[in-house]
Amino acid sequence: MLAMRHLLDLCKRRGFLFQSAEIHGGLRGTYDYGPLGVELKRNVSHEWWNSTVYQRSDVVGIDTAIITPPAVLRASGHVDQFTDEMVDSFLSKDRFRPDKAPELKLNNQGKILPITAPDKSTAKLWEQEIRTQFAKGAMIGRKGNEILLQVDRMEKDRIILKRDPAFISTDSAKEETTSSLKPSLSSSSPSNNDAALLQIPYRGYVDPNTNSPFLTEPRPFNLMFKTYLDPIDPIDKVINATLDAQKSSLDMKATRELVDKTLYPSLTYLRPETAQGVFINYMTIQRSHPHLRIPFGIAQIGKSFRNEIRLEHAIFRTPEFEQMELEYFVAPWQAQEQFATWRKSRMDWWRLYARHHDRIRERAHAPDELAHYSSGCMDVEYLFPWGWGEVEGIANRGDFDLSKHTEATGVKLHYTDVVLMEERVLREKTTGQKETSAEVLAREQFTPHVVESSCGLNRAMLALMLDAMDIVDEQGRSVPLEDADDNDKSRKGVRTIMRFHPRLAPIKAAVMPLISNNKDLVDICTSISHHLRQELQVNVALETQNTTVGRRYYRMDEIGTPWCVTVDYDTLSDNMVTIRDRDTGAQRRVLKDEVVGIIQDGLRLYPRHRGSQQATNIA
């Protein structure tokens, strides 16, 4: 995780990413994007939009509302099914998903169960809780911040612990032949009734942070944020409904039903995904854009919200995030072919903008991972410092979404192929025979299937920043991240270069005078930077800090600026400037009027001499 710490330090220091509301103590899982971060995020989303919409004639864009009525999400299944299982740790009080939790780790050839506390004082408190509540009478030791339980053996659904001999007595042996855990931790009678042993339940996973098996039963947890469109405070309605329930002596379940019924008229949700906004607008877009023929797509970039159980790895998993999603509508018989096509297209996109192709892979979902309506799903994964993590998913969703919204509303969200229909009518008139083939008629009108590409913008940013980060020595050679410790004088000269693809770089060029306080040089720099902004419509830095040119170069390297343009005294007489390349460090003298053309060529996805047939990664 050293790479993450190094990156986050750079992000905060240079203005990519900040903890939200930091001066007020911050809010867990929320981040603000600084001047460089917002540019990087905008560039990543623009490149996605350019690839998905601008470079195609069969995809249009849309921007739908964040606040979503319950009817939409009930039809899509989110109200009833958009849940994760949740487990709490009795010791740490942490909450996590069991399907993401690790298996139990044992030390000393399976004889010791170590539970790791944050510090020694916490370990002492936890040891007391285990002795008195969760494993009464177990043989326990403690070393530093680790609590060590003696294990006799592991069984399929339980851990058999050794008892402390001092605890065993005639009375306790009778009392403790079954588990002495709390009711919530109880299990079936042990297979071994030996008084010198004690069993605790094991469900196949432990607390990810502590290795503790002392956990609650898993329970469902809905991931959607509720909100209410109502001038009356919903809390007032809850209080009044609860008081009415008490007067009627209703039990807890009936009280909850009454409260939900009272709140329902004003209930809304913050959308958990952008896709449903596309599906409910499918017919409207088809009517307003009759030229769109199957297959065609609808793209959207926007914020979504999920009440995540576990927030982790900075912007990798947060409650508020942005998605770049495409819903590509196809005929049922085109679905598998289009699924394969989009899989390749999206992998090509990632390989274009990332430097380390060995850190990117595609992983097909196993049959037991697929949603019940999906016939195929592939994740694009990036090798983060903590392991492989999903950055995008491509799925063959079938006709599930459109069919469900049709079922809920009665509005037929189908597609009619007017050309095929007109051909059939003409054929029937010519032959005098009515078409009866179900297969032919089914091709004229059908509910489209959907191939979806869903990319997390925040995760894509994090992956591309980690991918671009390069630690180099004084000679520009890559070195291990461990050598980036600035406090070690023996490692002087080690620095960071963010080798973004030029089209992703937050600042495309920095223009700087050799001497910052020379008005003539500054005026020329101002003119060049203004010209670049006007002609290329890109972010350009006018770098006039009062320090050496070398330091300014290194600062621009650290934030990923591909080109630096330096104006010196010779420029006053020969109109030539020095342009420096971030990745090679090479410098060359060019006419100042050539700067725009050089940077424009460097920002092209497709080289001039090859037209638009082959993409070239120039990062």
Side-chain angles (χ1 to χ4, degrees), residues 526-568:
T526 302
S527 174
I528 293 173
S529 62
H530 178 75
H531 195 205
L532 283 168
R533 292 191 188 99
Q534 291 295 311
E535 292 297 318
L536 303 183
Q537 301 291 301
V538 295
N539 192 17
V540 178
L542 180 59
E543 179 60 86
T544 58
Q545 285 193 21
N546 189 21
T547 185
T548 65
V549 170
R551 287 181 178 273
R552 282 181 267 172
Y553 284 162
Y554 283 5
R555 179 180 180 275
M556 286 297 149
D557 287 348
E558 192 174 37
I559 63 177
T561 305
W563 300 283
C564 289
V565 179
T566 304
V567 175
D568 56 30

mmCIF file of all heavy atoms in Angstrom, residues 526-568:
data_model
loop_
_atom_site.group_PDB
_atom_site.id
_atom_site.type_symbol
_atom_site.label_atom_id
_atom_site.label_comp_id
_atom_site.label_asym_id
_atom_site.label_seq_id
_atom_site.Cartn_x
_atom_site.Cartn_y
_atom_site.Cartn_z
ATOM 1 N N THR A 526 3.061 35.198 -22.004
ATOM 2 C CA THR A 526 1.630 35.457 -21.928
ATOM 3 C C THR A 526 0.973 35.328 -23.290
ATOM 4 O O THR A 526 -0.111 34.753 -23.429
ATOM 5 C CB THR A 526 1.373 36.860 -21.346
ATOM 6 O OG1 THR A 526 1.979 36.957 -20.059
ATOM 7 C CG2 THR A 526 -0.110 37.139 -21.227
ATOM 8 N N SER A 527 1.655 35.835 -24.304
ATOM 9 C CA SER A 527 1.123 35.763 -25.665
ATOM 10 C C SER A 527 1.038 34.310 -26.151
ATOM 11 O O SER A 527 0.031 33.900 -26.742
ATOM 12 C CB SER A 527 2.007 36.584 -26.612
ATOM 13 O OG SER A 527 1.592 36.419 -27.951
ATOM 14 N N ILE A 528 2.086 33.521 -25.895
ATOM 15 C CA ILE A 528 2.099 32.116 -26.336
ATOM 16 C C ILE A 528 1.011 31.316 -25.620
ATOM 17 O O ILE A 528 0.262 30.547 -26.242
ATOM 18 C CB ILE A 528 3.483 31.485 -26.092
ATOM 19 C CG1 ILE A 528 4.539 32.124 -27.002
ATOM 20 C CG2 ILE A 528 3.430 29.966 -26.338
ATOM 21 C CD1 ILE A 528 5.959 31.677 -26.689
ATOM 22 N N SER A 529 0.902 31.498 -24.307
ATOM 23 C CA SER A 529 -0.103 30.740 -23.550
ATOM 24 C C SER A 529 -1.514 31.117 -23.978
ATOM 25 O O SER A 529 -2.404 30.257 -24.087
ATOM 26 C CB SER A 529 0.078 30.960 -22.044
ATOM 27 O OG SER A 529 -0.093 32.319 -21.701
ATOM 28 N N HIS A 530 -1.734 32.397 -24.239
ATOM 29 C CA HIS A 530 -3.049 32.842 -24.708
ATOM 30 C C HIS A 530 -3.369 32.219 -26.067
ATOM 31 O O HIS A 530 -4.502 31.762 -26.302
ATOM 32 C CB HIS A 530 -3.066 34.370 -24.821
ATOM 33 C CG HIS A 530 -4.356 34.922 -25.349
ATOM 34 N ND1 HIS A 530 -5.510 34.983 -24.578
ATOM 35 C CD2 HIS A 530 -4.692 35.420 -26.578
ATOM 36 C CE1 HIS A 530 -6.485 35.495 -25.314
ATOM 37 N NE2 HIS A 530 -6.016 35.772 -26.525
ATOM 38 N N HIS A 531 -2.384 32.161 -26.946
ATOM 39 C CA HIS A 531 -2.571 31.581 -28.274
ATOM 40 C C HIS A 531 -2.902 30.093 -28.174
ATOM 41 O O HIS A 531 -3.784 29.583 -28.872
ATOM 42 C CB HIS A 531 -1.306 31.799 -29.109
ATOM 43 C CG HIS A 531 -1.511 31.560 -30.560
ATOM 44 N ND1 HIS A 531 -0.501 31.211 -31.424
ATOM 45 C CD2 HIS A 531 -2.636 31.616 -31.343
ATOM 46 C CE1 HIS A 531 -0.979 31.053 -32.650
ATOM 47 N NE2 HIS A 531 -2.267 31.302 -32.619
ATOM 48 N N LEU A 532 -2.200 29.384 -27.307
ATOM 49 C CA LEU A 532 -2.466 27.955 -27.104
ATOM 50 C C LEU A 532 -3.896 27.731 -26.614
ATOM 51 O O LEU A 532 -4.602 26.832 -27.092
ATOM 52 C CB LEU A 532 -1.475 27.369 -26.098
ATOM 53 C CG LEU A 532 -0.064 27.075 -26.613
ATOM 54 C CD1 LEU A 532 0.877 26.775 -25.452
ATOM 55 C CD2 LEU A 532 -0.080 25.904 -27.582
ATOM 56 N N ARG A 533 -4.323 28.540 -25.657
ATOM 57 C CA ARG A 533 -5.688 28.376 -25.119
ATOM 58 C C ARG A 533 -6.733 28.641 -26.194
ATOM 59 O O ARG A 533 -7.724 27.917 -26.312
ATOM 60 C CB ARG A 533 -5.904 29.324 -23.940
ATOM 61 C CG ARG A 533 -5.093 28.999 -22.698
ATOM 62 C CD ARG A 533 -5.568 29.833 -21.518
ATOM 63 N NE ARG A 533 -4.684 29.674 -20.385
ATOM 64 C CZ ARG A 533 -3.727 30.528 -20.042
ATOM 65 N NH1 ARG A 533 -3.542 31.625 -20.765
ATOM 66 N NH2 ARG A 533 -2.967 30.312 -18.993
ATOM 67 N N GLN A 534 -6.506 29.692 -26.964
ATOM 68 C CA GLN A 534 -7.491 30.055 -27.971
ATOM 69 C C GLN A 534 -7.558 29.033 -29.102
ATOM 70 O O GLN A 534 -8.639 28.675 -29.566
ATOM 71 C CB GLN A 534 -7.142 31.432 -28.550
ATOM 72 C CG GLN A 534 -7.321 32.584 -27.572
ATOM 73 C CD GLN A 534 -8.778 32.775 -27.162
ATOM 74 O OE1 GLN A 534 -9.657 32.818 -28.014
ATOM 75 N NE2 GLN A 534 -9.019 32.882 -25.864
ATOM 76 N N GLU A 535 -6.420 28.564 -29.559
ATOM 77 C CA GLU A 535 -6.387 27.673 -30.716
ATOM 78 C C GLU A 535 -6.747 26.234 -30.361
ATOM 79 O O GLU A 535 -7.428 25.549 -31.120
ATOM 80 C CB GLU A 535 -4.992 27.707 -31.357
ATOM 81 C CG GLU A 535 -4.636 29.020 -32.019
ATOM 82 C CD GLU A 535 -5.566 29.340 -33.186
ATOM 83 O OE1 GLU A 535 -5.880 28.419 -33.978
ATOM 84 O OE2 GLU A 535 -5.991 30.511 -33.303
ATOM 85 N N LEU A 536 -6.284 25.758 -29.189
ATOM 86 C CA LEU A 536 -6.454 24.341 -28.847
ATOM 87 C C LEU A 536 -7.549 24.095 -27.812
ATOM 88 O O LEU A 536 -7.957 22.954 -27.600
ATOM 89 C CB LEU A 536 -5.130 23.761 -28.329
ATOM 90 C CG LEU A 536 -3.933 23.890 -29.286
ATOM 91 C CD1 LEU A 536 -2.702 23.215 -28.675
ATOM 92 C CD2 LEU A 536 -4.252 23.284 -30.643
ATOM 93 N N GLN A 537 -8.019 25.158 -27.159
ATOM 94 C CA GLN A 537 -9.063 25.023 -26.132
ATOM 95 C C GLN A 537 -8.643 24.029 -25.047
ATOM 96 O O GLN A 537 -9.376 23.109 -24.678
ATOM 97 C CB GLN A 537 -10.379 24.565 -26.776
ATOM 98 C CG GLN A 537 -10.922 25.507 -27.844
ATOM 99 C CD GLN A 537 -11.417 26.820 -27.259
ATOM 100 O OE1 GLN A 537 -12.313 26.844 -26.420
ATOM 101 N NE2 GLN A 537 -10.818 27.916 -27.703
ATOM 102 N N VAL A 538 -7.416 24.209 -24.550
ATOM 103 C CA VAL A 538 -6.886 23.317 -23.519
ATOM 104 C C VAL A 538 -6.389 24.132 -22.338
ATOM 105 O O VAL A 538 -6.235 25.360 -22.424
ATOM 106 C CB VAL A 538 -5.737 22.446 -24.081
ATOM 107 C CG1 VAL A 538 -6.251 21.505 -25.157
ATOM 108 C CG2 VAL A 538 -4.588 23.301 -24.607
ATOM 109 N N ASN A 539 -6.103 23.439 -21.252
ATOM 110 C CA ASN A 539 -5.619 24.081 -20.042
ATOM 111 C C ASN A 539 -4.107 24.286 -20.152
ATOM 112 O O ASN A 539 -3.344 23.331 -20.335
ATOM 113 C CB ASN A 539 -5.941 23.209 -18.827
ATOM 114 C CG ASN A 539 -5.722 23.938 -17.521
ATOM 115 O OD1 ASN A 539 -5.636 25.162 -17.475
ATOM 116 N ND2 ASN A 539 -5.628 23.181 -16.430
ATOM 117 N N VAL A 540 -3.675 25.537 -20.061
ATOM 118 C CA VAL A 540 -2.260 25.887 -20.185
ATOM 119 C C VAL A 540 -1.848 26.667 -18.943
ATOM 120 O O VAL A 540 -2.590 27.533 -18.469
ATOM 121 C CB VAL A 540 -2.015 26.742 -21.448
ATOM 122 C CG1 VAL A 540 -0.546 27.142 -21.550
ATOM 123 C CG2 VAL A 540 -2.454 25.986 -22.697
ATOM 124 N N ALA A 541 -0.679 26.352 -18.400
ATOM 125 C CA ALA A 541 -0.176 27.055 -17.217
ATOM 126 C C ALA A 541 0.844 28.101 -17.623
ATOM 127 O O ALA A 541 1.753 27.815 -18.420
ATOM 128 C CB ALA A 541 0.459 26.067 -16.252
ATOM 129 N N LEU A 542 0.692 29.300 -17.101
ATOM 130 C CA LEU A 542 1.712 30.346 -17.244
ATOM 131 C C LEU A 542 2.551 30.271 -15.969
ATOM 132 O O LEU A 542 2.131 30.714 -14.900
ATOM 133 C CB LEU A 542 1.066 31.726 -17.410
ATOM 134 C CG LEU A 542 2.020 32.907 -17.572
ATOM 135 C CD1 LEU A 542 2.912 32.717 -18.795
ATOM 136 C CD2 LEU A 542 1.237 34.216 -17.685
ATOM 137 N N GLU A 543 3.721 29.660 -16.066
ATOM 138 C CA GLU A 543 4.539 29.318 -14.905
ATOM 139 C C GLU A 543 5.590 30.404 -14.664
ATOM 140 O O GLU A 543 6.592 30.497 -15.384
ATOM 141 C CB GLU A 543 5.209 27.964 -15.154
ATOM 142 C CG GLU A 543 6.120 27.482 -14.055
ATOM 143 C CD GLU A 543 5.398 27.305 -12.741
ATOM 144 O OE1 GLU A 543 4.827 26.231 -12.510
ATOM 145 O OE2 GLU A 543 5.401 28.283 -11.950
ATOM 146 N N THR A 544 5.330 31.254 -13.669
ATOM 147 C CA THR A 544 6.244 32.379 -13.404
ATOM 148 C C THR A 544 6.778 32.365 -11.978
ATOM 149 O O THR A 544 7.126 33.413 -11.431
ATOM 150 C CB THR A 544 5.524 33.713 -13.671
ATOM 151 O OG1 THR A 544 4.351 33.793 -12.833
ATOM 152 C CG2 THR A 544 5.127 33.849 -15.121
ATOM 153 N N GLN A 545 6.833 31.188 -11.369
ATOM 154 C CA GLN A 545 7.387 31.115 -10.022
ATOM 155 C C GLN A 545 8.845 31.548 -10.037
ATOM 156 O O GLN A 545 9.593 31.259 -10.975
ATOM 157 C CB GLN A 545 7.280 29.680 -9.488
ATOM 158 C CG GLN A 545 5.875 29.300 -9.078
ATOM 159 C CD GLN A 545 5.872 28.007 -8.277
ATOM 160 O OE1 GLN A 545 6.870 27.604 -7.716
ATOM 161 N NE2 GLN A 545 4.718 27.361 -8.234
ATOM 162 N N ASN A 546 9.232 32.202 -8.957
ATOM 163 C CA ASN A 546 10.597 32.726 -8.875
ATOM 164 C C ASN A 546 11.542 31.630 -8.387
ATOM 165 O O ASN A 546 11.966 31.601 -7.234
ATOM 166 C CB ASN A 546 10.638 33.936 -7.934
ATOM 167 C CG ASN A 546 11.980 34.636 -7.981
ATOM 168 O OD1 ASN A 546 12.730 34.492 -8.948
ATOM 169 N ND2 ASN A 546 12.292 35.398 -6.932
ATOM 170 N N THR A 547 11.828 30.699 -9.296
ATOM 171 C CA THR A 547 12.764 29.620 -8.986
ATOM 172 C C THR A 547 13.437 29.200 -10.288
ATOM 173 O O THR A 547 13.124 29.727 -11.360
ATOM 174 C CB THR A 547 12.035 28.427 -8.329
ATOM 175 O OG1 THR A 547 12.995 27.453 -7.931
ATOM 176 C CG2 THR A 547 11.039 27.802 -9.294
ATOM 177 N N THR A 548 14.347 28.265 -10.204
ATOM 178 C CA THR A 548 15.082 27.862 -11.404
ATOM 179 C C THR A 548 14.166 27.155 -12.394
ATOM 180 O O THR A 548 13.151 26.565 -12.013
ATOM 181 C CB THR A 548 16.235 26.921 -11.033
ATOM 182 O OG1 THR A 548 15.701 25.700 -10.510
ATOM 183 C CG2 THR A 548 17.161 27.566 -10.007
ATOM 184 N N VAL A 549 14.580 27.179 -13.661
ATOM 185 C CA VAL A 549 13.811 26.500 -14.692
ATOM 186 C C VAL A 549 13.756 24.997 -14.411
ATOM 187 O O VAL A 549 12.724 24.354 -14.602
ATOM 188 C CB VAL A 549 14.409 26.769 -16.087
ATOM 189 C CG1 VAL A 549 13.760 25.870 -17.132
ATOM 190 C CG2 VAL A 549 14.227 28.216 -16.470
ATOM 191 N N GLY A 550 14.871 24.432 -13.936
ATOM 192 C CA GLY A 550 14.903 23.001 -13.631
ATOM 193 C C GLY A 550 13.863 22.605 -12.598
ATOM 194 O O GLY A 550 13.180 21.583 -12.746
ATOM 195 N N ARG A 551 13.724 23.398 -11.550
ATOM 196 C CA ARG A 551 12.714 23.109 -10.521
ATOM 197 C C ARG A 551 11.298 23.208 -11.094
ATOM 198 O O ARG A 551 10.417 22.443 -10.736
ATOM 199 C CB ARG A 551 12.877 24.065 -9.336
ATOM 200 C CG ARG A 551 14.083 23.766 -8.459
ATOM 201 C CD ARG A 551 14.160 24.733 -7.290
ATOM 202 N NE ARG A 551 15.263 24.434 -6.417
ATOM 203 C CZ ARG A 551 15.225 23.579 -5.395
ATOM 204 N NH1 ARG A 551 14.098 22.933 -5.145
ATOM 205 N NH2 ARG A 551 16.283 23.365 -4.648
ATOM 206 N N ARG A 552 11.121 24.192 -11.973
ATOM 207 C CA ARG A 552 9.795 24.335 -12.584
ATOM 208 C C ARG A 552 9.493 23.158 -13.508
ATOM 209 O O ARG A 552 8.367 22.666 -13.561
ATOM 210 C CB ARG A 552 9.723 25.660 -13.353
ATOM 211 C CG ARG A 552 9.527 26.873 -12.442
ATOM 212 C CD ARG A 552 9.449 28.151 -13.244
ATOM 213 N NE ARG A 552 10.758 28.784 -13.360
ATOM 214 C CZ ARG A 552 11.010 29.837 -14.149
ATOM 215 N NH1 ARG A 552 10.036 30.314 -14.916
ATOM 216 N NH2 ARG A 552 12.209 30.357 -14.212
ATOM 217 N N TYR A 553 10.505 22.669 -14.227
ATOM 218 C CA TYR A 553 10.322 21.469 -15.045
ATOM 219 C C TYR A 553 9.882 20.292 -14.172
ATOM 220 O O TYR A 553 8.941 19.562 -14.505
ATOM 221 C CB TYR A 553 11.626 21.102 -15.752
ATOM 222 C CG TYR A 553 11.986 21.945 -16.948
ATOM 223 C CD1 TYR A 553 13.301 21.956 -17.426
ATOM 224 C CD2 TYR A 553 11.040 22.728 -17.615
ATOM 225 C CE1 TYR A 553 13.653 22.716 -18.540
ATOM 226 C CE2 TYR A 553 11.383 23.492 -18.721
ATOM 227 C CZ TYR A 553 12.691 23.485 -19.174
ATOM 228 O OH TYR A 553 13.043 24.225 -20.267
ATOM 229 N N TYR A 554 10.577 20.113 -13.062
ATOM 230 C CA TYR A 554 10.284 18.968 -12.190
ATOM 231 C C TYR A 554 8.896 19.076 -11.575
ATOM 232 O O TYR A 554 8.205 18.067 -11.396
ATOM 233 C CB TYR A 554 11.348 18.860 -11.090
ATOM 234 C CG TYR A 554 12.667 18.282 -11.562
ATOM 235 C CD1 TYR A 554 12.875 17.993 -12.905
ATOM 236 C CD2 TYR A 554 13.701 18.035 -10.666
ATOM 237 C CE1 TYR A 554 14.079 17.470 -13.348
ATOM 238 C CE2 TYR A 554 14.919 17.502 -11.094
ATOM 239 C CZ TYR A 554 15.094 17.224 -12.438
ATOM 240 O OH TYR A 554 16.277 16.697 -12.874
ATOM 241 N N ARG A 555 8.485 20.299 -11.255
ATOM 242 C CA ARG A 555 7.133 20.473 -10.718
ATOM 243 C C ARG A 555 6.096 20.078 -11.754
ATOM 244 O O ARG A 555 5.103 19.410 -11.452
ATOM 245 C CB ARG A 555 6.924 21.928 -10.289
ATOM 246 C CG ARG A 555 5.515 22.187 -9.742
ATOM 247 C CD ARG A 555 5.335 23.643 -9.317
ATOM 248 N NE ARG A 555 3.991 23.853 -8.803
ATOM 249 C CZ ARG A 555 2.927 24.126 -9.564
ATOM 250 N NH1 ARG A 555 3.061 24.216 -10.873
ATOM 251 N NH2 ARG A 555 1.743 24.303 -9.020
ATOM 252 N N MET A 556 6.328 20.474 -12.995
ATOM 253 C CA MET A 556 5.390 20.119 -14.058
ATOM 254 C C MET A 556 5.411 18.610 -14.339
ATOM 255 O O MET A 556 4.383 18.017 -14.654
ATOM 256 C CB MET A 556 5.713 20.901 -15.333
ATOM 257 C CG MET A 556 5.308 22.357 -15.252
ATOM 258 S SD MET A 556 3.513 22.522 -15.057
ATOM 259 C CE MET A 556 3.421 24.040 -14.099
ATOM 260 N N ASP A 557 6.579 17.989 -14.229
ATOM 261 C CA ASP A 557 6.648 16.528 -14.369
ATOM 262 C C ASP A 557 5.783 15.856 -13.314
ATOM 263 O O ASP A 557 5.093 14.863 -13.587
ATOM 264 C CB ASP A 557 8.094 16.043 -14.204
ATOM 265 C CG ASP A 557 8.969 16.385 -15.397
ATOM 266 O OD1 ASP A 557 8.415 16.790 -16.443
ATOM 267 O OD2 ASP A 557 10.197 16.243 -15.277
ATOM 268 N N GLU A 558 5.809 16.382 -12.110
ATOM 269 C CA GLU A 558 5.113 15.747 -10.998
ATOM 270 C C GLU A 558 3.596 15.828 -11.146
ATOM 271 O O GLU A 558 2.870 14.998 -10.600
ATOM 272 C CB GLU A 558 5.543 16.384 -9.671
ATOM 273 C CG GLU A 558 5.094 15.582 -8.456
ATOM 274 C CD GLU A 558 5.639 16.124 -7.165
ATOM 275 O OE1 GLU A 558 5.741 17.357 -7.016
ATOM 276 O OE2 GLU A 558 5.952 15.305 -6.275
ATOM 277 N N ILE A 559 3.112 16.822 -11.870
ATOM 278 C CA ILE A 559 1.666 16.903 -12.077
ATOM 279 C C ILE A 559 1.260 16.390 -13.460
ATOM 280 O O ILE A 559 0.089 16.426 -13.812
ATOM 281 C CB ILE A 559 1.135 18.335 -11.844
ATOM 282 C CG1 ILE A 559 1.738 19.316 -12.846
ATOM 283 C CG2 ILE A 559 1.400 18.765 -10.410
ATOM 284 C CD1 ILE A 559 1.200 20.737 -12.713
ATOM 285 N N GLY A 560 2.254 15.942 -14.236
ATOM 286 C CA GLY A 560 1.929 15.244 -15.483
ATOM 287 C C GLY A 560 1.849 16.100 -16.722
ATOM 288 O O GLY A 560 1.297 15.669 -17.736
ATOM 289 N N THR A 561 2.402 17.323 -16.710
ATOM 290 C CA THR A 561 2.338 18.207 -17.876
ATOM 291 C C THR A 561 3.258 17.686 -18.979
ATOM 292 O O THR A 561 4.463 17.562 -18.767
ATOM 293 C CB THR A 561 2.755 19.639 -17.484
ATOM 294 O OG1 THR A 561 1.932 20.075 -16.388
ATOM 295 C CG2 THR A 561 2.594 20.592 -18.653
ATOM 296 N N PRO A 562 2.721 17.372 -20.164
ATOM 297 C CA PRO A 562 3.541 16.738 -21.207
ATOM 298 C C PRO A 562 4.627 17.634 -21.799
ATOM 299 O O PRO A 562 5.684 17.145 -22.193
ATOM 300 C CB PRO A 562 2.521 16.359 -22.289
ATOM 301 C CG PRO A 562 1.191 16.412 -21.629
ATOM 302 C CD PRO A 562 1.300 17.449 -20.562
ATOM 303 N N TRP A 563 4.373 18.975 -21.893
ATOM 304 C CA TRP A 563 5.339 19.852 -22.566
ATOM 305 C C TRP A 563 5.547 21.135 -21.762
ATOM 306 O O TRP A 563 4.600 21.695 -21.201
ATOM 307 C CB TRP A 563 4.864 20.232 -23.966
ATOM 308 C CG TRP A 563 4.677 19.047 -24.860
ATOM 309 C CD1 TRP A 563 5.646 18.321 -25.499
ATOM 310 C CD2 TRP A 563 3.427 18.428 -25.208
ATOM 311 N NE1 TRP A 563 5.093 17.291 -26.201
ATOM 312 C CE2 TRP A 563 3.732 17.331 -26.056
ATOM 313 C CE3 TRP A 563 2.094 18.677 -24.893
ATOM 314 C CZ2 TRP A 563 2.750 16.494 -26.582
ATOM 315 C CZ3 TRP A 563 1.115 17.855 -25.406
ATOM 316 C CH2 TRP A 563 1.442 16.776 -26.246
ATOM 317 N N CYS A 564 6.793 21.556 -21.727
ATOM 318 C CA CYS A 564 7.133 22.853 -21.154
ATOM 319 C C CYS A 564 7.774 23.712 -22.244
ATOM 320 O O CYS A 564 8.636 23.233 -22.998
ATOM 321 C CB CYS A 564 8.113 22.706 -19.990
ATOM 322 S SG CYS A 564 7.381 21.987 -18.505
ATOM 323 N N VAL A 565 7.349 24.954 -22.339
ATOM 324 C CA VAL A 565 7.867 25.894 -23.335
ATOM 325 C C VAL A 565 8.580 27.009 -22.578
ATOM 326 O O VAL A 565 7.974 27.680 -21.741
ATOM 327 C CB VAL A 565 6.727 26.475 -24.197
ATOM 328 C CG1 VAL A 565 7.286 27.466 -25.202
ATOM 329 C CG2 VAL A 565 5.951 25.359 -24.876
ATOM 330 N N THR A 566 9.870 27.172 -22.857
ATOM 331 C CA THR A 566 10.675 28.172 -22.149
ATOM 332 C C THR A 566 11.087 29.302 -23.090
ATOM 333 O O THR A 566 11.603 29.063 -24.188
ATOM 334 C CB THR A 566 11.935 27.523 -21.542
ATOM 335 O OG1 THR A 566 11.554 26.443 -20.704
ATOM 336 C CG2 THR A 566 12.717 28.534 -20.733
ATOM 337 N N VAL A 567 10.848 30.509 -22.627
ATOM 338 C CA VAL A 567 11.227 31.724 -23.369
ATOM 339 C C VAL A 567 12.469 32.307 -22.712
ATOM 340 O O VAL A 567 12.481 32.549 -21.493
ATOM 341 C CB VAL A 567 10.081 32.749 -23.366
ATOM 342 C CG1 VAL A 567 10.515 34.053 -24.031
ATOM 343 C CG2 VAL A 567 8.853 32.167 -24.051
ATOM 344 N N ASP A 568 13.547 32.506 -23.481
ATOM 345 C CA ASP A 568 14.787 33.049 -22.923
ATOM 346 C C ASP A 568 15.192 34.327 -23.661
ATOM 347 O O ASP A 568 14.443 34.815 -24.523
ATOM 348 C CB ASP A 568 15.898 31.993 -22.977
ATOM 349 C CG ASP A 568 16.124 31.456 -24.386
ATOM 350 O OD1 ASP A 568 15.898 32.219 -25.353
ATOM 351 O OD2 ASP A 568 16.515 30.274 -24.515
#
